[in-house]
Structure formats: C-alpha cells, structure tokens
Amino acid sequence: MNQSALGATALDYDAARQRMVDAQIRPVQINDPRVIAAMRALPRERCVPPALKPFAYADQSLDLGNGRVLTEPRIIGRMVQIAQPESGRRALVVAAGTGYAAALLARLGLRVVALESNTALGAIGKAFCATEAPEIVWRGGALAEGDSADAPFDLILIDGAVREIPPALAGQLAEGGRIVCVLSPADGVATACVAERTPQGLAVRPVFDVALPMLPELEPAPAFAF
C-alpha cells in the first residue's frame, strides 16, 4: 500500500491526489492528458464511506462491502484509457458503484449513464456526481440486463471482473462501439479487455493482466453435480 496515502485529512487530500497520479498513474503508461487531468481533479475521497477516506488514494481496490470495491486507481485509469473515450459519445458504466468511473468519463466529455443495482452504493455515487458530474444519468436495475431504454451506447465499461460479457450488454452496443471490462476465467488470469462489435459478433482483445474481484451479481450460478 502507498503509505503516503494514509493519514490524509480534509486539508491534504488534494496533495494525496497529486501523489497518486505521479506515483501510481503515470508510471503505468497512462499518458492520455485528459485522463491524467481528470484523475488529478476528481475528489476520490468522496467515493468511499467516511472510515475509508484516509485510504482513498492508496494503490489498492477498497472494500465497499457485499463483495464490491472501489477499483484501484491504476486499474480504472488504464481501463478508461484503453476505452479510447471520445467527447460527445454515449457511454454506459455497469456497476457504477460510488460513481468514480462514471465521473471520469463525464469529465472527458462523454454522455454517461450510470447503472447500479446496490442502492447504498448508488446513493454515494449520486451524491458525488451531483457536484462533480451532474450531467450523469443514474439508473437502477440488474447489471446483467444493462439499460435498454437508453441504448445503444458507443462505450460500455463494466467496473469489476466478470466471467463473460452478458449478452444483453453486447446487444446494447452501437455499431463500431466497444466494451471495456475485466474477464476473469475460472482457471486463468484475469485480463482487462476491449471487445468491439463486428458483423461476426464481439471481437475480444486482451490488453493487460489485472487483479480485480468478481462482481458478485454477475458471477455464474454454481453448476450442479449429479
């Protein structure tokens, strides 16, 4: 853990945020100046319950309860960068949680819909985005079902690991659109991937290995043995 991120007070969160970018974000080849600027500006400490605020800029994912996490800064930063976000495009963040990834995309000029099924996390996210990215539209509902009412989307970002991309999300992707997610096979290494829509279906391209917990709601049901 980055010890410099610990013990932060309301007076030095900004300094901790700058250290996070300089020590965690830039060294892992996050070089899109828009992403760097957004991560320097967004108050990540407001995306966690009060007890976790001193750890908001640590180099780890933070446990938000019920199997959910605030994704580690260097992971979500790289995921946003490989998404190649374009201003004015429509984006859906699945498992938007406390709003950090959605706010990053909104800061880059995308029109963002945030989908969250956990009402407690969504309440934190809505409060955060009310000041940091008020243009974000929040939706409640099952993560696997996506958001058909607002589809299609040019970009879908799943903020958490999944075994496979839910079919409903693939169906809500615009022509030429892409899904960015972490695919975590049962017997392999989890990988951040870009899946692009083609006439033959989704073409999935792995980009970098990553450690990120599975989204409990999107874990496959256990198979029955006979």
Side-chain angles (χ1 to χ4, degrees), residues 75 78 80 91 131 154 208:
I75 295 175
R78 290 191 74 182
V80 168
T131 56
D154 303 294
F208 61 93

Side-chain angles (χ1 to χ4, degrees), residues 43 46-48 97-99 103 119-134 138:
R46 294 185 52 213
C47 293
V48 293
T98 57
T119 55
L121 296 183
I124 296 174
K126 290 175 184 177
F128 171 67
C129 291
T131 56
E132 300 301 328
W138 282 82

Side-chain angles (χ1 to χ4, degrees), residues 1 25 66 106 108 155-156 160 164 179 191 203:
M1 181 182 298
I25 303 305
N66 298 311
L108 300 179
L155 170 64
I156 298 176
E164 59 184 20
I179 296 174
T191 308

Side-chain angles (χ1 to χ4, degrees), residues 8 13 21 38 40 58 69 80 86 114 132 140 151 153 158 168-169 181 184 188 194 199 202 220:
Y13 282 128
V21 173
R40 285 196 187 279
V69 300
V80 168
E86 299 178 37
E132 300 301 328
F153 299 97
I158 305 175
L169 297 183
C181 64
S184 182
V194 177
L202 287 181

Side-chain angles (χ1 to χ4, degrees), residues 4-167:
S4 65
L6 304 183
T9 69
L11 297 178
D12 64 11
Y13 282 128
D14 184 67
R17 190 178 313 120
Q18 308 316 312
R19 289 195 297 270
M20 175 196 76
V21 173
D22 293 333
Q24 301 176 45
I25 303 305
R26 297 179 68 92
V28 293
Q29 299 178 334
I30 298 174
N31 49 28
D32 185 327
R34 303 172 305 152
V35 177
I36 291 172
M39 296 188 80
R40 285 196 187 279
L42 283 174
R44 188 175 164 88
E45 71 274 10
R46 294 185 52 213
C47 293
V48 293
L52 291 178
K53 285 188 175 185
F55 305 90
Y57 297 101
D59 53 352
Q60 64 180 45
S61 296
L62 298 182
D63 184 2
L64 298 175
N66 298 311
R68 298 290 298 278
V69 300
L70 176 63
T71 301
E72 182 179 346
R74 73 182 75 193
I75 295 175
I76 197 61
R78 290 191 74 182
M79 290 178 69
V80 168
Q81 180 167 272
I82 67 175
Q84 299 178 358
E86 299 178 37
S87 180
R89 298 288 189 173
R90 294 179 55 80
L92 173 67
V93 178
V94 177
T98 57
Y100 187 75
L104 278 177
L105 292 177
R107 285 290 182 107
L108 300 179
L110 283 80
R111 295 178 291 156
V112 180
V113 176
L115 174 65
E116 182 49 62
S117 59
N118 183 306
T119 55
L121 296 183
I124 296 174
K126 290 175 184 177
F128 171 67
C129 291
T131 56
E132 300 301 328
E135 66 274 23
I136 291 175
V137 175
W138 282 82
R139 302 292 188 208
L143 304 182
E145 294 178 6
D147 177 30
S148 59
D150 297 299
F153 299 97
D154 303 294
L155 170 64
I156 298 176
L157 187 150
I158 305 175
D159 193 359
V162 295
R163 287 277 184 264
E164 59 184 20
I165 296 171

